[in-house]
Amino acid sequence: MSLFNVFNVAGSALNAETIRLNTTASNLANAESVNGDESKVYRARHPVFQAMMNTADSSFDGQDASIGVRVLGVVESNAPAAMRYQPDSPVANKDGYVYMSNVNSIEEMTNMISANRSFATNVEAINTARDLLLKTISMGH
Amino acid sequence: MFENVFGIHEQALLLHGQRIGVLATNLANADTPGYKARDIDFSAVLAHTDESETLPMLVTQGAHIAMNDAGSPSAELKYRNPYQASLDGNTVEMPVEQAAFSETNVRYQASLAFINSDIADLKYAIAGQ
């Protein structure tokens, strides 16, 4: 019954959005991280979502009715890391420069709001499915 | 005499349940690049669902198991036409999906209420009081 699939599908979305919120928290926490070596500086991370085909459930004439979502991986942004002249920093390179992390705080904040909304929507879907199933179970009473 | 007590609502309930599952899938993949939103054309399926006849499950491959599950309407999933496509190829539009989801929620409960009242009628007829 499809109503039970709502729990699996929305649950997978909750998991994916949680990972998205985690990367956002990590990015915001490291927004001011610096390093003297450009290859070692913190780079903004973003999860890549992918639809999860469920071939076991094809009650729709061979089409997958329920498709969850999973995080395929986490990619690092390759935006250039800004240089800043800070000769007194303990991690400054020999020319006195440090590299700033390439996190865009505004982008991260909008990402966080979007993840928050998506999370809430999926919680609502789970609550609705639960209410409907409970009402169906008590049919005739 | 009791094989069709609930009329169309028995199948409508199943179909609404399936549609809620499909819409929840759309909601879950709202942020998935390239995902195409899908939906069941409810009235088209119900138009083919005569009260005395149920739609057969399609058997398109040898590995498919023929279903003789009476009262289980078969619905074809269709891709939704987005009002404005997004750059990442995702066609889920949150407000559209949420509106359809809550509409289906109400319709499911309406079918359930009709079935419940039918059951109450039957109980009344059986007990006679």
Side-chain angles (χ1 to χ4, degrees):
Chain A
M1 178 147 178
S2 287
L3 271 181
F4 283 105
N5 286 333
V6 173
F7 296 114
N8 295 331
V9 169
S12 74
L14 292 185
N15 188 33
E17 299 295 346
T18 305
I19 292 174
R20 189 169 165 210
L21 275 174
N22 269 325
T23 56
T24 303
S26 163
N27 291 342
L28 285 173
N30 284 289
E32 299 299 325
S33 294
V34 294
N35 202 310
D37 187 351
E38 191 179 11
S39 63
K40 286 181 183 157
V41 72
Y42 182 88
R43 292 185 176 276
R45 299 152 175 273
H46 295 117
V48 178
F49 286 6
Q50 191 194 41
M52 195 165 49
M53 297 295 171
N54 177 13
T55 46
D57 177 69
S58 15
S59 52
F60 285 89
D61 304 341
Q63 297 181 72
D64 292 336
S66 62
I67 299 177
V69 59
R70 69 170 166 211
V71 175
L72 191 62
V74 178
V75 294
E76 289 193 332
S77 161
N78 52 12
M83 281 168 75
R84 185 185 286 176
Y85 185 59
Q86 266 182 354
D88 51 344
S89 167
V91 292
N93 61 14
K94 61 181 189 321
D95 298 325
Y97 283 97
V98 292
Y99 289 93
M100 310 289 296
S101 76
N102 64 354
V103 174
N104 181 342
S105 295
I106 297 167
E107 189 187 327
E108 297 305 326
M109 291 302 284
T110 52
N111 236 331
M112 187 174 72
I113 295 169
S114 170
N116 183 12
R117 292 269 192 280
S118 298
F119 194 95
T121 304
N122 282 291
V123 169
E124 204 53 49
I126 289 176
N127 282 338
T128 304
R130 190 200 54 206
D131 286 351
L132 289 182
L133 281 171
L134 285 176
K135 281 179 180 162
T136 311
I137 287 168
S138 64
M139 183 195 285
H141 285 281
Chain B
M1 84 186 260
F2 286 123
E3 58 264 20
N4 216 342
V5 182
F6 304 124
I8 200 77
H9 295 295
E10 189 181 333
Q11 297 186 339
L13 199 68
L14 283 167
L15 204 53
H16 286 312
Q18 289 182 338
R19 188 169 183 222
I20 281 188
V22 173
L23 294 174
T25 302
N26 291 345
L27 289 174
N29 284 285
D31 299 317
T32 310
Y35 177 83
K36 307 294 180 208
R38 303 168 308 166
D39 198 0
I40 297 173
D41 188 353
F42 184 81
S43 48
V45 178
L46 211 59
H48 290 128
T49 311
D50 194 61
E51 285 194 16
S52 60
E53 158 202 21
T54 58
L55 286 181
M57 297 286 275
L58 274 187
V59 181
T60 53
Q61 286 178 20
H64 285 176
I65 299 168
M67 292 264 294
N68 285 319
D69 186 8
S72 167
S74 166
E76 198 182 336
L77 288 176
K78 297 208 169 87
Y79 289 108
R80 200 190 287 297
N81 258 338
Y83 290 104
Q84 185 167 16
S86 66
L87 273 177
D88 64 358
N90 186 307
T91 62
V92 178
E93 285 164 319
M94 224 31 155
V96 176
E97 303 300 333
Q98 282 167 331
F101 192 85
S102 58
E103 182 205 328
T104 314
N105 180 10
V106 172
R107 286 181 184 274
Y108 187 96
Q109 296 198 44
S111 284
L112 206 54
F114 277 113
I115 290 177
N116 272 332
S117 75
D118 283 342
I119 291 174
D121 285 350
L122 282 174
K123 277 183 172 171
Y124 181 71
I126 291 165
Q129 55 184 339

